[in-house]
Amino acid sequence: MTVLKCISPIDGGVFAERPVMGLDEVRAGLSRARTAQKKWAAKPLADRVAAVEAGVEALGAMGDEVVTELAHMMGRPVRYGGEFGGVKERAGYMAGIAESALAPIVTEDSDAFERRILREPHGVVFVIAPWNYPYLTAINTVAPALIAGNAVVIKHATQTLLAGERMVRAFTNAGIPEDLFQNVFLDHATSEALIAERAFDFINFTGSVGGGRAIEKAAAGTFTPLGLELGGKDPGYVMDDADLDWAVDTLMDAALFNSGQCCCGIERIYVAETLYDAFVQKTVAWASKLKLGNPLDAETTIGPMANVRFAATVRAQIEDALSKGARGLVDPALFPADDGGAYLAPQILVDVNHNMEVMREESFGPVVGIMPVKDDEEAIALMNDCKYGLTASLWTSNPERAAQIGARIETGTVFMNRADYLDPSLCWTGCKETGRGGALSVIGFHNLTRPKSYHLRKTK
């Protein structure tokens, strides 16, 4: 029997393990989910909304237990609490717009004709959630999918093995039908086999580009709709009229929080030449104040990366950059907890260029490269010189300038004077190798349902 094991980055020990489920066991569960989904979709929308909101509250009530569990599984310091604030914000917003987002589109209601478009749930939605924000990322799909009348089957990454189990427990304890929302423990081969036989009616995946390709390959010819949020290499651009201290504080937090393991974290920064020296000096001071250590310690501000192999990738990128002329400005001596394994000191690199992996490939770790630029044209060219497109963070006092530059950036979200945030009223989406589809907002509801047209003729 294959067993999935969560290796804690705190000490390299096995924190949790679960046996992989077999195909027949999962198929039986999916059959029950389909039966439950029909009954669920027939319930009034208000009842579905209330049940999901109760599930979210039940999850939040798990509080400190979840926070400590996350520290053990993926290394986030306990001082930052859990993810419930964002979970509640996103689920609450989607609950609030459900009635209008799912309302019929009536094109005619006359004595002769009734013509309208309704939103139908897909059926069984498969959510494959990542380890970096296991609850926040999952709720983007779980809450609106259930509200819209779907059943949900969730599979979490092995690194956060217990998160899906905990989500399902909270929601079912709060009244969501047991078969409607199911957690599964699957290996890649079983997941791909189920996708290939069209066991699911919609698939949402957040993870690597390689994982997205594997899902597309497995789903080929099934016509299963997919939502894919894959890699990112999000840029920040600090213009000559930016509020420097504000930009430093926000961009460095976006680059280094959660050990840099954020989907829309800032991984490369371009700064107007006139502000470059001052910006770099302030960022180094900012990063140097962090405390690397055990995430269970309340004094720790940056914990280990979730896995030794993730840290190895970042170290390799740093070494590649240094070998090509880059300079690291953060003194490693300030971070004695860096053990060459999962515990990795933050680093700021200058004298970087786009011939270096650290400026091209996703790092997903506590490193950021900073380059000076002479004008907006150079900044736009560098921001677009990337195979990913999730967010871009623009720093200026001029909204019109930000909008004009934003229109030319190949990205899913344009921020001005903000970074690393998901606004649930806006569509969370990407382009290029970041993937396709969109979560949250009205569009998120539309992606989790299909249109069905009614053309009712009343007279000859």
Side-chain angles (χ1 to χ4, degrees), residues 48-289:
R48 300 198 302 264
V49 167
V52 169
E53 289 180 323
V56 170
E57 289 296 331
L59 180 63
M62 295 177 175
D64 292 342
E65 188 180 359
V66 171
V67 172
T68 303
E69 194 171 81
L70 282 174
H72 279 288
M73 291 193 294
M74 52 74 65
R76 186 183 308 134
V78 295
R79 69 179 288 135
Y80 298 119
E83 301 172 17
F84 181 64
V87 166
K88 188 173 183 179
E89 178 189 24
R90 297 177 192 181
Y93 181 82
M94 296 305 284
I97 67 167
E99 184 175 2
S100 59
L102 297 170
I105 300 172
V106 179
T107 62
E108 183 178 359
D109 186 6
S110 68
D111 292 339
F113 289 97
E114 184 178 340
R115 295 184 293 153
R116 62 181 186 271
I117 304 167
L118 271 59
R119 306 300 311 186
E120 292 263 319
H122 286 299
V124 177
V125 171
F126 188 29
V127 178
I128 308 174
W131 51 263
N132 63 322
Y133 285 95
Y135 297 103
L136 269 177
T137 52
I139 205 68
N140 293 350
T141 303
V142 169
L146 289 171
I147 289 172
N150 295 285
V152 174
V153 174
I154 190 167
K155 172 193 176 300
H156 261 88
T158 304
Q159 194 65 54
T160 44
L161 191 62
L162 306 182
E165 195 174 66
R166 187 174 285 280
M167 283 188 80
V168 168
R169 186 188 318 143
F171 275 61
T172 53
N173 287 345
I176 292 288
E178 184 174 347
D179 291 330
L180 187 77
F181 186 20
Q182 300 180 27
N183 177 67
V184 292
F185 298 107
L186 306 177
D187 57 21
H188 293 324
T190 306
S191 298
E192 290 170 10
L194 290 164
I195 292 170
E197 65 186 43
R198 211 188 193 287
F200 309 104
D201 303 301
F202 182 89
I203 300 167
N204 176 265
F205 171 73
T206 303
S208 69
V209 174
R213 288 196 178 108
I215 289 170
E216 282 201 327
K217 183 178 179 180
T222 68
F223 308 114
T224 306
L226 305 176
L228 303 172
E229 186 206 319
L230 310 175
K233 193 70 184 174
D234 292 7
Y237 172 32
V238 181
M239 301 177 211
D240 50 12
D241 63 343
D243 182 318
L244 190 61
D245 289 332
W246 190 13
V248 168
D249 189 56
T250 302
L251 289 173
M252 292 312 296
D253 182 68
L256 301 178
F257 184 77
N258 205 37
S259 299
Q261 299 166 134
C262 301
C263 297
C264 55
I266 294 297
E267 297 208 357
R268 52 198 175 107
I269 302 174
Y270 308 100
V271 185
E273 289 176 336
T274 55
L275 295 182
Y276 177 76
D277 290 340
F279 181 86
V280 169
Q281 183 179 13
K282 288 175 180 288
T283 59
V284 173
W286 196 102
S288 298
K289 294 176 183 177

Side-chain angles (χ1 to χ4, degrees), residues 395-432:
W395 288 82
T396 175
S397 60
N398 187 337
E400 185 175 324
R401 182 181 181 187
Q404 290 173 348
I405 293 172
R408 297 174 61 191
I409 303 174
E410 297 158 356
T411 190
T413 295
V414 176
F415 290 112
M416 171 183 158
N417 300 336
R418 192 160 202 179
D420 192 21
Y421 172 70
L422 271 70
D423 181 344
S425 71
L426 300 177
C427 183
W428 188 243
T429 187
C431 62
K432 299 194 278 191

Side-chain angles (χ1 to χ4, degrees), residues 268 379-387 408-410 432:
R268 52 198 175 107
I380 292 167
L382 288 168
M383 285 189 281
N384 285 339
D385 182 27
C386 181
K387 61 186 176 183
R408 297 174 61 191
I409 303 174
E410 297 158 356
K432 299 194 278 191

Side-chain angles (χ1 to χ4, degrees), residues 256 287-288 290 292 302 318 330-331 335 338 344-348 366-367:
L256 301 178
S288 298
L290 293 172
L292 175 66
I302 183 168
I318 293 172
V330 177
D331 185 357
F335 300 91
D338 187 328
L344 173 61
Q347 189 54 272
I348 293 170
V367 62

